[in-house]
Amino acid sequence: MAIEYRHEITVEDYNALRRSVGWDPIEPAQAKEGLRNSAYLICALDGDNIVGHARAISDGGYVVLISDVIVHPDYQKNGIAKTMIQELMAFFTSRLKSGQAILFNLMAAKGRESFYKQLGFTERPNETVGAGMSQRYTKA
Ligand SMILES: CC(C)(COP(=O)(O)OP(=O)(O)OC[C@H]1O[C@@H](n2cnc3c(N)ncnc32)[C@H](O)[C@@H]1OP(=O)(O)O)[C@@H](O)C(=O)NCCC(=O)NCCS
């Protein structure tokens, strides 16, 4: 399987990929802004087909939030997500100066903790930190 990687995605492809794993699409104008303002974005292609995506939001300093890690079900278990996360992390760590640090955060989907542990992430909660938390608001 000859997978290629690039750094742009259309809103249509992004939402199609979300749907492929059972996630709700994001309202198109919001999706466009979110993709445009991401600090780093990578997607995987098989020919012209987008089969994977991951992106990161950053404060430009210490904090990075990894979001929307998705691989189309037909392409899972081929190491595509691992490659995308490694590329994403390398993008940020390669810019660090000596003595600087960076904190990668993500909300693991249920059952995906072991995947991220293999990539060096620490599961929460543990004896020192609490669980990650989130809140979703939808305007009526
Ligand atoms: C989670 C997800 C992104 C992983 O994508 P993926 O490309 O299948 O991930 P990888 O192939 O890099 O690794 C997944 C597993 O396949 C294994 N794997 C990798 N290459 C493999 C290969 N050639 N043969 C068999 N297994 C392989 C990995 O070891 C890993 O094992 P694990 O399940 O024990 O963690 C994908 O399942 C997905 O999109 N799920 C739905 C959306 C979702 O939950 N996203 C995560 C949000 S936090």
Side-chain angles (χ1 to χ4, degrees):
M1 188 182 301
I3 299 295
E4 292 180 2
Y5 295 88
R6 73 175 189 209
H7 301 285
E8 57 189 3
I9 189 170
T10 65
V11 169
E12 292 74 23
D13 283 341
Y14 167 72
N15 272 333
L17 209 48
R18 290 183 65 93
R19 283 195 196 89
S20 78
V21 295
W23 291 4
D24 289 338
I26 303 295
E27 188 273 325
Q30 267 194 310
K32 187 176 175 187
E33 278 302 287
L35 294 171
R36 189 170 67 86
N37 290 317
S38 295
Y40 181 85
L41 186 155
I42 184 166
C43 58
L45 289 105
D46 180 13
D48 290 335
N49 294 328
I50 305 271
V51 300
H53 167 275
R55 64 190 177 105
I57 296 141
S58 167
D59 67 356
Y62 176 61
V63 181
V64 173
L65 175 65
I66 298 174
S67 182
D68 293 335
V69 182
I70 305 168
V71 173
H72 189 284
D74 293 347
Y75 290 83
Q76 291 175 3
K77 302 260 180 203
N78 286 294
I80 294 174
K82 181 180 176 189
T83 298
M84 293 193 300
I85 298 290
Q86 287 175 334
E87 291 284 322
L88 181 157
M89 294 175 76
F91 172 83
F92 291 100
T93 57
S94 67
R95 282 158 175 72
L96 291 178
K97 297 191 174 76
S98 179
Q100 294 182 332
I102 198 162
L103 180 66
F104 293 104
N105 296 289
L106 61 86
M107 294 286 183
K110 194 103 185 141
R112 298 314 311 176
E113 294 85 352
S114 64
F115 167 70
Y116 289 111
K117 275 167 98 171
Q118 289 169 30
L119 290 164
F121 286 79
T122 303
E123 205 170 340
R124 303 177 66 135
N126 57 41
E127 53 289 343
T128 52
V129 294
M133 297 176 74
S134 58
Q135 181 179 153
R136 182 186 159 113
Y137 169 82
T138 304
K139 188 162 180 167

